């Protein structure tokens, strides 16, 4: 892209400038011994055309909507439609969360996103002894289809899309959603949304797991197949890097492990006999937006380019939509502090801005009190306004991929792609992600990165404002959301009522049918939907999964 | 009820506390061990060793599962290395056996090597006795096999199992020096990995070549397993049982084994006590440092310094 | 020779919460500080935590909680320790605790609670001052 003579001139000038720089620093040293990103990647004092001297614009960067999609997956991006403002929400009972959903929609969010409580996430009903003390504390409690019906009451699910963050029990909760929609007369072919349904990252990072990797992959492939054939507007996997990053990985690891997970899912679906262009367009991704502004933007751009290349060259996909890496972003929860919580508004804003400049399809912004409890209405509203101000006031969405062409950003994008592909090769050599997980490889990498980062904070090599620098003596108190302590009892009572009212013979038959189906090879989604329609509870179904598929226990990699 | 009595009835707290006292060199613990000795000799001790990452803990977990189903009680000692830099340790083997933690018939204890002088420590050996006296049918000792450990574990176990994974290649060569004297059963875990056949034949070759050196006339067996999938475990326990029968089949061999074990226990104990008493004393008193200084200053040599210290100490009272 | 007892700590994750980044870091930190750490892994019931603590004869249990179930889980561990006459074992919490819950936890017998941003050195110092190997 640059001609040879100009580059030579730049090289000469840079040499002189670096000498000048050095002279200055002899008088007054640089303010840090080492400049690095939050992932500890060293950053130079200046980036010039020399850093991207062989940049091939048409091949490497191209235009939005054009292979390899570095600048964006759709041609119009935010000029056509802003990213979806999708705030993750869930608390207490289905009714409590339904209220929060209505509030957020009224305040202008454009998509729904559901957080479930630990028992629901782990496949236990509220009345399980393992669930004691956990009901509704970190998300909404769902025991049966009845709760699902209340959760989405009054919301236009035929017009807006719903994301559900659920993994081991994804097939079950999705079945409940489909059943709930159909009961409202809404055809499954028009409902749109996402289930996270990414078990590989559970084994690596988030650790809400239930059954071992192989049967988990079977269930996931069943959902992909079912979605391809019956629920075409649904994203059946949200291949996630967010949690990998939250567990302490570097940006490159987040990128590499996420795409490696994606490769594993594609392999599994192809093995099932599905046609790549039939299911690939509905694979979606979920990334973290962390503290280092430019590293994150480069990561998002590299991700798009890498996935396009992987889908085209490795998997020979033909349909252009199979090459698109569409992603949701959440700002980094692990970067927020309990000290001086109002600072978190600024952190979230910067992280949201990075996600927008990185071209995300949808965005959740964390609330300032996220470190302390489930967000209050006020805090969640500020988080939503953050997105709205970026969208309407800042002007960054006026043009597509505004940072494209920056020497620094293009160089970072390239570096991240290169380093991430190295990781992917390592994982391929191990036999793929499932094998790598069994060897505890990604888990160990993450544990090491997390420990290293903590040591850097404790030694003040890396600064956390309000925690290891600029500490305030008095803390401004923040009001924190409380979950009704009586909720657990109420929920148990309520679910018992549901159990009494339903036809228990039909439930028994459905569960038996499910048990047999699990032993066979048929797609389980139809029979799961039938079972939830009888108001079987989540655990009645997961007990069967655990029985047939086995239980996965934490191998305790530290 | 005295501590020894409590332990014989299986009281968990007493067992746990005694093991701690033994580990921490508390003198009173020794008295309890004296009381307990007559109640030892009933448990069958299985030693399991192998490089980190081969799946020992998962294997132990499955073995415990099978043994419990057969109505046997089990004590497990999981030994992990102490960090040479900090003196601390992360003891993480227990995690893979956690499903047995609420089973009253299973006692799991994690120990660190606290390895100043390497190998299976005296406290591990004594802890085996405690679990034995507690009434456990089996005691399984899991250690990381690095040189010294492997040889030590033999002296304390009835059956010693060496765990490998396919493709270890050069590592087997490195182990070979002591391996035949050590292993009664070789288990190749993660047997679904590439290279399993070669690993089996490598070991088989070593075993064939070492025919004259078979321990107690038992030709070491080679088994494969996938501990994670509970595959090969039943076969392993059957093989252990075969070994057990072999050992008890010959009265002469039994009495030789008993002799060797007591001999080894006693000499290790004496060595251990001497080191703790003498070396410990002179380090505390500063005599050790002084001796080192003298040697460096060429006022004396290590041989003379050593003789001087020992003869002085031997004259003094050893408690 | 080291005649002192080593401090033994059980680091445990009670309940269904799977966020173990902090627990694993603190385990390493304790090791680097010279303690012996038994790491329990995820998804432990309070009963399993107490059973492990007793079998391992630890001096302290560090409970990690980030999903809001602390008001039940942490006091329950203390309760079970009392039932088993093992309440000489110090119990601490680490993770996400709203300020108003901390006095409740302390009343229930949790000796100290470490919230986000506490430097690791501070935690280690606290342990050295407040936890002595059983004497």
């Amino acid at each position: 892209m640059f001609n040879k003579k100009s580059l030579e001139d730049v090289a000469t000038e840079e040499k002189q400038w670096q000498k000048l720089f050095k002279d200055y620093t002899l008088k007054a040293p640089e303010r840090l011994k080492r400049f690095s990103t939050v992932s500890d990647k060293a950053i130079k004092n200046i980036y010039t055309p020399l850093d991207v001297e062989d940049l091939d614009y048409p091949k490497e960067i191209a235009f939005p909507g054009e292979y390899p999609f570095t600048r964006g997956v759709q041609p119009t991006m935010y000029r056509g439609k802003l990213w979806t403002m999708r705030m993750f929400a869930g608390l207490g009972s289905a009714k409590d969360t339904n209220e929060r959903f209505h509030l957020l929609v009224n305040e202008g969010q454009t998509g729904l996103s559901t957080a479930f409580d630990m028992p629901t996430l782990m496949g236990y009903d509220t009345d399980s002894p393992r669930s004691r003390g956990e009901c509704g504390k970190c998300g909404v409690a769902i025991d049966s289809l009845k709760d699902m019906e209340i959760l989405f009451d009054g919301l236009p699910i035929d017009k807006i899309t719903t994301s559900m963050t659920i993994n081991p029990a994804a097939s079950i909760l999705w079945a409940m959603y489909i059943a709930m929609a159909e009961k409202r007369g809404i055809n499954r072919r028009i409902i749109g949304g996402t289930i996270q349904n990414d078990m590989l990252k559970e084994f690596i990072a988030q650790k809400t797991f239930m059954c071992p990797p192989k049967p988990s992959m079977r269930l996931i492939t069943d959902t992909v197949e079912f979605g391809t054939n019956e629920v075409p507007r649904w994203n059946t996997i949200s291949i996630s890097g967010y949690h990998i990053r939250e567990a302490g990985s570097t940006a490159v690891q987040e990128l590499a492990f996420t795409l490696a997970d994606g490769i594993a899912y594609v392999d599994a679906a192809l093995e099932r006999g599905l046609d790549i262009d039939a299911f690939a367009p509905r694979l979606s991704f979920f990334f973290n937006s962390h503290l280092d502004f430019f590293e994150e933007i480069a990561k998002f751009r590299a991700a798009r380019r890498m996935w396009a290349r992987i889908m085209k060259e490795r998997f020979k996909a033909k349909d252009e939509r199979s090459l698109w890496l569409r992603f949701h972003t959440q700002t980094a929860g692990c970067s927020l502090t309990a000290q001086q919580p109002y600072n978190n508004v600024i952190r979230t804003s910067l992280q949201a801005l990075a996600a927008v400049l990185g071209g995300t399809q949808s965005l959740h912004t964390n609330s300032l009190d996220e470190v302390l409890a489930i967000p209050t209405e006020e805090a969640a509203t500020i988080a939503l306004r953050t997105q709205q101000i970026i969208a309407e006031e800042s002007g960054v969405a006026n043009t597509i991929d505004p940072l494209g062409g920056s020497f620094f950003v293009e160089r970072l994008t390239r570096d991240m792609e290169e380093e991430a592909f190295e990781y992917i090769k390592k994982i391929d050599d191990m036999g793929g992600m499932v094998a790598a997980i069994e060897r505890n490889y990604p888990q160990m990498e993450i544990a090491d990165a997390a420990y290293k980062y903590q040591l850097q904070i404790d030694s003040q090599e890396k600064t956390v404002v309000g925690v290891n620098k600029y500490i305030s003596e008095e803390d401004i108190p923040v009001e924190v959301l409380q979950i009704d302590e009586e909720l657990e009892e109420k929920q148990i009572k309520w679910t018992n009522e549901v159990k009494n009212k339903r036809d228990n013979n039909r439930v028994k038959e459905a569960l038996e049918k499910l048990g047999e189906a699990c032993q066979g090879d048929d797609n389980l989604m139809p029979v799961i939907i039938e079972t939830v329609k009888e108001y079987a509870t989540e655990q009645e179904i997961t007990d069967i999964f655990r029985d047939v598929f086995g239980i996965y226990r934490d191998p305790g990699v530290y | 009820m005295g501590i020894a009595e409590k332990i014989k009835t299986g009281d968990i707290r007493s067992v746990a506390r005694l093991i701690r006292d033994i580990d921490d060199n508390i003198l009173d613990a020794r008295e309890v061990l004296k009381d307990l000795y007559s109640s030892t000799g009933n448990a069958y001790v299985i030693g399991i060793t192998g490089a980190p990452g081969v799946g020992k803990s998962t294997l132990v977990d499955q073995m415990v599962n099978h043994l419990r189903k057969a109505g046997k009680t089990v004590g497990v000692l999981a030994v992990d290395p102490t960090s040479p830099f900090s003196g601390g340790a992360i003891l993480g083997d227990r995690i893979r056996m956690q499903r047995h933690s609420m089973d009253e018939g299973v006692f799991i204890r994690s120990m660190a090597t606290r390895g100043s002088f390497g190998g299976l420590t005296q406290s591990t050996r004594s802890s085996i006795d405690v679990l034995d006296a507690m009434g456990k049918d089996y005691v399984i000792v899991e250690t990381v096999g690095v040189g010294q450990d492997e040889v030590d574990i033999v002296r304390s176990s009835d059956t010693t199992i060496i765990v490998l994974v396919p493709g270890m290649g050069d590592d087997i060569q490195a182990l070979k020096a002591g391996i035949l004297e050590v292993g009664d059963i070789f288990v190749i875990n993660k047997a679904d990995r590439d290279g399993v056949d070669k690993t089996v034949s490598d070991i088989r070759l070593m075993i064939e070549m070492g025919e004259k050196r078979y321990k107690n006339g038992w030709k070491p067996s080679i088994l494969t397993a996938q501990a994670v999938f509970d595959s090969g475990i039943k076969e392993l326990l059957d093989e252990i049982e075969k070994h057990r029968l072999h050992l008890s089949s010959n009265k002469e061999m039994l009495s030789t084994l008993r002799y060797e074990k007591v001999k080894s226990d006693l000499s290790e104990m004496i060595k251990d006590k001497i080191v703790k008493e003498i070396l410990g004393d002179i380090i505390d008193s500063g005599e050790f440092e002084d001796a080192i200084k003298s040697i460096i200053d060429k006022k004396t040599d290590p041989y003379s310094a050593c003789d001087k210290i020992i003869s002085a100490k031997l004259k003094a009272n050893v408690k | 020779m080291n005649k002192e007892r080593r401090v033994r700590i059980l680091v445990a994750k009670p309940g269904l919460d799977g966020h173990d980044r902090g627990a694993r870091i603190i385990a390493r930190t304790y090791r680097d500080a010279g303690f012996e750490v038994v790491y329990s892994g995820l998804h432990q019931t309070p009963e399993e935590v107490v059973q492990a603590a007793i079998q391992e004869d630890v001096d302290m249990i560090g409970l990690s909680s980030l999903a809001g179930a602390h008001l039940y889980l942490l006091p329950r561990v203390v309760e079970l320790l009392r039932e088993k006459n093992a309440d000489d074992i110090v119990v601490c919490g680490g993770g996400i605790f709203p300020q108003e819950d901390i006095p409740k936890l302390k009343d229930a017998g949790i000796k100290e609670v470490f919230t986000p941003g506490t430097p690791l050195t501070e935690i280690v110092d606290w342990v050295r001052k407040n936890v002595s190997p059983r004497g």
Side-chain angles (χ1 to χ4, degrees):
Chain A
M1 211 172 85
F2 307 106
N3 79 52
K4 196 154 179 255
K5 178 76 176 52
S6 318
L7 284 174
E8 279 167 14
D9 290 343
V10 174
T12 314
E13 280 211 41
E14 186 182 354
K15 215 165 168 191
Q16 287 175 358
W17 180 83
Q18 290 287 6
K19 188 173 175 305
L20 181 68
F21 187 91
K22 191 142 187 235
D23 289 341
Y24 265 79
T25 61
L26 287 173
K27 287 180 238 154
E30 285 188 290
R31 69 182 164 84
L32 293 176
K33 265 200 223 103
R34 186 169 172 269
F35 290 83
S36 60
T37 66
V38 85
S39 302
D40 214 38
K41 181 186 168 66
I43 300 294
K44 301 195 303 181
N45 53 7
I46 199 100
Y47 288 79
T48 70
L50 293 168
D51 289 293
V52 283
E53 61 180 39
D54 55 350
L55 195 66
D56 183 337
Y57 184 89
K59 270 222 182 87
E60 245 185 279
I61 308 194
F63 281 89
E66 241 180 48
Y67 183 83
F69 308 102
T70 314
R71 308 200 79 175
V73 291
Q74 294 110 352
T76 56
M77 287 301 290
Y78 305 141
R79 291 278 293 221
K81 191 169 93 114
L82 287 169
W83 65 91
T84 307
M85 300 185 189
R86 191 186 294 282
M87 299 292 284
F88 192 43
L91 62 149
S93 67
K95 189 161 180 308
D96 295 328
T97 306
N98 178 264
E99 276 168 29
R100 180 62 68 98
F101 278 172
H102 279 283
L103 169 88
L104 289 167
V105 169
N106 287 338
E107 294 300 338
Q109 90 167 358
T110 42
L112 297 168
S113 176
T114 322
F116 298 100
D117 69 1
M118 282 314 307
T120 309
L121 291 174
M122 293 294 290
Y124 294 106
D125 288 344
T126 308
D127 64 356
S128 162
R130 281 189 173 269
S131 305
R132 266 307 295 272
E134 313 238 26
C135 175
K137 293 278 162 65
C138 75
V140 66
I142 301 287
D143 286 331
S144 73
L145 174 58
K146 261 279 177 292
D147 292 313
M148 188 64 80
E149 289 165 2
I150 295 169
L151 182 60
F152 292 100
D153 187 35
L155 292 158
I157 59 167
D158 49 344
K159 297 203 181 61
I160 59 176
T161 55
T162 300
S163 173
M164 293 193 284
T165 298
I166 183 91
N167 292 280
S171 53
I172 303 170
L173 277 281
W174 190 34
M176 287 183 186
Y177 189 90
I178 295 170
M180 178 263 310
E182 290 184 335
K183 274 193 152 203
R184 283 164 61 163
I186 302 171
N187 192 304
R188 61 174 67 161
R189 300 199 73 84
I190 69 158
I191 53 174
T194 306
I195 37 174
Q196 196 167 83
N197 197 28
D198 169 6
M199 284 309 297
L200 292 179
K201 67 94 171 52
E202 296 301 326
F203 298 118
I204 297 171
Q206 183 162 240
K207 319 267 171 98
T208 62
F209 39 63
M210 190 166 71
C211 302
K214 292 213 174 73
S216 301
M217 291 297 277
R218 181 263 175 100
L219 272 170
I220 292 171
T221 315
D222 279 357
T223 55
V224 171
E225 188 179 45
F226 189 76
T228 306
N229 296 328
E230 306 260 336
V231 197
R233 294 192 61 220
W234 199 274
N235 303 312
T236 40
I237 317 180
S238 177
I239 305 165
S240 306
Y242 177 79
H243 320 80
I244 293 173
R245 195 64 186 276
E246 290 291 294
S249 82
T250 62
V252 170
Q253 289 165 348
E254 179 194 344
L255 179 56
F257 296 162
T258 307
L259 296 188
D261 285 346
I263 292 172
Y265 291 127
V266 172
D267 279 334
L270 290 175
E271 227 173 292
R272 179 67 72 91
L274 297 176
D275 172 46
I276 185 132
D277 290 311
F279 69 86
R282 276 290 162 208
L283 297 172
S284 65
F285 290 79
F286 174 27
F287 287 110
N288 195 308
S289 186
H290 209 286
L291 289 167
D292 195 290
F293 193 72
F294 292 108
E295 184 174 60
E296 295 303 289
I297 296 169
K299 180 186 78 187
F300 300 131
R301 298 172 90 246
R304 274 195 292 274
R305 185 157 73 209
M306 286 176 74
W307 189 248
R309 287 189 168 151
I310 290 170
M311 290 306 278
K312 184 166 189 189
E313 292 162 26
R314 181 174 179 144
F315 291 112
K316 317 280 190 242
K318 297 277 177 337
D319 187 335
E320 212 195 46
R321 291 169 312 143
S322 300
L323 311 179
W324 294 357
L325 179 134
R326 298 169 305 123
F327 66 102
H328 170 77
T329 307
Q330 175 164 342
T331 59
C334 62
S335 70
L336 306 181
T337 60
Q339 294 78 353
Q340 303 174 29
Y342 288 102
N343 293 344
N344 294 327
V345 178
I346 295 101
R347 291 188 178 102
T348 301
S349 310
L350 294 171
Q351 293 162 1
L353 184 59
V356 168
L357 291 172
T360 190
Q361 273 58 52
S362 86
L363 179 59
H364 161 95
T365 32
N366 286 331
S367 304
L368 65 102
D369 53 356
E370 206 89 49
V371 186
L372 304 171
I374 293 182
T376 58
E377 285 181 6
E378 293 73 28
T381 306
I382 294 176
L384 179 57
R385 296 281 178 257
T386 305
Q387 295 195 44
Q388 290 161 340
I389 292 171
I390 292 176
E392 317 269 5
E393 293 183 13
S394 75
V396 302
N398 286 343
T399 189
I400 303 171
D401 188 36
L403 289 175
S406 146
F407 311 125
F408 179 36
V409 171
E410 293 301 352
R411 183 54 203 258
L412 266 187
T413 306
R414 244 198 210 174
D415 286 349
M416 294 210 76
E417 181 179 355
E418 212 177 277
E419 290 166 40
F421 266 127
E422 269 168 34
Y423 265 113
I424 292 179
K425 173 146 195 333
K426 249 200 208 132
I427 292 169
D428 278 342
D429 289 342
M430 288 184 196
M433 212 17 155
V434 177
I437 290 172
E438 280 167 2
R439 250 170 247 239
N440 293 322
Y441 172 66
Q443 299 93 313
M444 287 283 354
E445 288 289 295
I446 294 170
D448 288 342
Y451 190 57
K452 180 175 171 198
Y453 183 62
Q454 188 61 43
L455 292 178
Q456 286 176 324
I457 290 180
D458 278 9
S459 68
Q460 305 197 320
E461 199 185 314
K462 294 237 178 310
T463 303
V464 182
V465 172
V467 174
N468 68 2
K469 203 172 179 186
Y470 310 120
I471 299 172
S472 296
E473 278 317 318
E474 62 157 281
D475 255 336
I476 308 168
V478 164
E479 235 198 82
V480 150
L481 185 94
Q482 296 284 0
I483 300 294
D484 177 16
E485 284 302 324
E486 319 274 291
L487 174 64
E488 193 171 313
E489 225 183 280
K490 289 181 193 155
Q491 179 70 17
I492 294 175
K493 227 166 134 216
W494 162 245
T495 304
N496 284 336
E497 274 173 42
V498 173
K499 284 185 182 172
N500 288 333
K501 288 208 187 99
R502 66 188 185 182
D503 183 337
N504 281 293
N505 283 321
R506 288 175 68 108
V507 172
K508 191 162 169 289
E509 273 170 34
L511 289 171
E512 270 166 25
K513 195 166 166 210
L514 176 63
E516 278 166 32
C518 286
Q519 317 248 16
D521 289 326
D522 288 342
N523 192 309
L524 291 172
M525 279 310 296
V527 66
I528 297 174
I529 294 175
E530 271 174 45
T531 314
V532 304
K533 277 188 171 162
E534 301 297 338
Y535 295 95
T537 66
E538 185 196 10
Q539 189 169 341
E540 282 169 339
I541 300 175
T542 57
D543 279 347
I544 293 179
F545 285 170
R546 271 184 279 263
D547 197 40
V548 177
F549 299 135
I551 299 177
Y552 182 83
R553 279 171 227 273
D554 178 23
V557 173
Y558 51 81
Chain B
M1 219 198 277
I3 300 178
E5 289 313 303
K6 281 206 193 128
I7 289 174
K8 288 184 212 169
T9 66
D11 176 50
I12 296 175
R13 198 101 215 271
S14 309
V15 170
R17 304 208 114 178
L18 181 63
I19 293 179
R20 180 84 181 277
D21 288 344
I22 294 168
D23 226 6
D24 289 336
N25 284 317
I26 304 299
L27 264 118
D28 291 340
R30 222 175 154 75
E31 299 305 311
V32 182
L33 285 169
K34 289 176 186 171
D35 284 341
L36 286 176
Y37 191 73
S38 55
S39 306
T40 63
N42 302 305
Y44 195 74
V45 183
I46 303 170
I48 300 190
T49 189
V54 299
K56 296 185 294 297
S57 301
T58 311
L59 195 68
V60 173
D61 170 66
Q62 298 285 22
M63 287 168 67
V64 170
N65 199 33
H66 282 250
L67 287 170
R68 288 299 291 139
K69 289 211 181 104
K72 304 291 179 193
T73 58
V74 190
V76 179
L77 289 174
V79 186
D80 271 321
T82 294
S83 158
F85 307 112
S86 69
I90 295 185
L91 309 173
D93 295 330
R94 188 188 183 95
I95 292 174
R96 291 184 197 79
M97 309 173 206
Q98 266 298 71
R99 63 170 157 162
H100 303 291
S101 64
M102 295 308 294
D103 182 348
E104 290 297 324
V106 180
F107 186 100
I108 303 170
R109 175 58 173 249
S110 316
M111 302 182 77
T113 54
R114 298 192 179 180
S116 22
F117 290 82
L120 208 61
T121 56
Q122 178 58 43
S123 67
T124 313
R125 279 188 226 102
S126 303
S127 301
I128 296 174
D129 285 343
V130 177
L131 294 178
D132 186 350
M134 182 193 189
K136 294 297 180 231
D137 297 316
Y138 286 84
V139 176
I140 302 179
V141 183
E142 181 196 326
T143 69
V144 176
V146 186
Q148 189 69 22
D149 272 2
E150 291 160 4
V151 184
D152 277 355
I153 201 173
V154 172
R155 295 206 195 97
S156 317
S157 320
D158 297 310
T159 301
T160 302
I161 300 173
I162 299 193
V163 186
L164 305 144
V165 289
M168 276 179 77
D170 298 332
D171 298 346
I172 297 181
Q173 296 307 310
L175 291 173
K176 77 167 181 263
I179 209 172
L180 289 181
E181 275 84 37
V182 174
D184 298 308
I185 302 174
F186 291 83
V187 175
I188 298 159
N189 195 26
K190 308 192 188 188
D192 50 331
R193 286 210 195 152
D194 283 339
V196 59
D197 293 331
K198 182 165 189 311
T199 307
V200 170
S201 57
D202 281 349
I203 300 188
R204 185 161 287 141
L205 189 61
M206 268 179 9
I207 292 175
E208 303 292 341
M209 289 202 312
E211 195 177 333
K212 293 199 187 74
R213 288 142 59 203
Y214 291 165
K215 204 170 46 134
N216 303 316
W218 165 270
K219 181 176 176 186
S221 354
I222 308 174
L223 300 172
T224 59
Q226 289 179 63
V228 156
F229 300 119
D230 196 20
S231 157
I233 313 300
K234 183 181 172 304
E235 290 78 356
L236 174 59
L237 288 166
D238 287 343
E239 198 63 24
I240 293 172
E241 192 53 30
K242 261 202 218 140
H243 185 232
R244 180 184 193 161
L245 287 170
H246 170 86
L247 291 177
S248 59
S249 62
N250 182 330
K251 276 216 162 58
E252 209 181 287
M253 176 158 49
L254 260 182
S255 89
T256 311
L257 280 173
R258 181 97 188 110
Y259 179 84
E260 290 301 323
K261 177 158 200 301
V262 174
K263 175 176 169 190
S264 147
D265 281 350
L266 186 57
S267 44
E268 287 309 309
M269 258 183 233
I270 292 174
K271 277 187 227 165
D272 185 68
K273 198 159 169 70
I274 290 176
V275 164
K276 285 198 181 95
E277 300 278 335
I278 298 184
L279 195 51
D281 268 358
I282 63 170
I283 288 176
D284 283 346
S285 71
E287 236 179 293
F288 193 52
E289 273 305 303
D290 292 342
I292 295 173
K293 267 206 208 86
S294 297
I295 296 169
I296 291 176
D297 291 343
K298 298 214 193 264
K299 292 206 188 107
T300 179
D301 65 86
Y303 303 95
S304 311
C306 173
D307 287 347
K308 180 161 173 243
I309 289 170
I310 297 287
S311 60
K313 282 295 167 189
L314 286 180
K315 287 207 188 91
N317 245 343
V318 176
K319 241 203 293 171
Chain C
M1 289 286 268
N2 188 356
K3 288 213 171 86
E4 290 168 16
R5 287 184 182 277
R6 305 274 169 102
V7 172
R8 280 173 71 94
I9 302 176
L10 173 66
V11 171
K13 289 244 15 129
L16 299 173
D17 172 31
H19 296 96
D20 60 357
R21 174 176 179 174
R24 292 182 292 137
I25 287 176
I26 203 72
R28 286 200 197 195
T29 304
Y30 285 153
R31 174 201 58 199
D32 292 345
F35 307 138
E36 285 179 358
V37 185
V38 178
Y39 179 54
S40 78
L42 294 169
H43 311 138
Q44 302 299 296
T45 61
E47 290 75 11
E48 285 168 341
V49 173
V50 168
Q51 184 80 331
I54 292 177
Q55 285 183 357
E56 298 290 348
D57 195 41
V58 297
D59 305 305
M60 172 178 133
I61 305 174
L63 295 167
S64 160
S65 163
L66 288 93
H70 50 277
L71 285 179
Y72 167 68
L73 290 168
L74 272 60
R76 181 79 184 124
V77 168
V78 175
E79 205 176 87
L80 287 169
L81 285 171
R82 282 197 190 122
E83 274 173 33
K84 305 233 163 190
N85 289 319
D87 52 338
D88 54 322
I89 300 178
V90 172
V91 180
C92 291
I96 296 195
F97 306 96
Q99 282 300 316
E100 59 257 43
D101 287 352
I102 295 178
K104 292 182 201 159
L105 291 172
K106 289 197 171 161
D107 282 342
I110 313 298
K111 190 119 188 243
E112 187 56 270
V113 168
F114 299 108
T115 48
T118 312
L120 299 173
T121 46
E122 206 179 286
I123 299 178
V124 170
D125 285 343
W126 187 92
V127 174
R128 286 202 214 279
K129 269 204 205 87
N130 291 277
V131 180
S132 55
R134 204 168 38 82

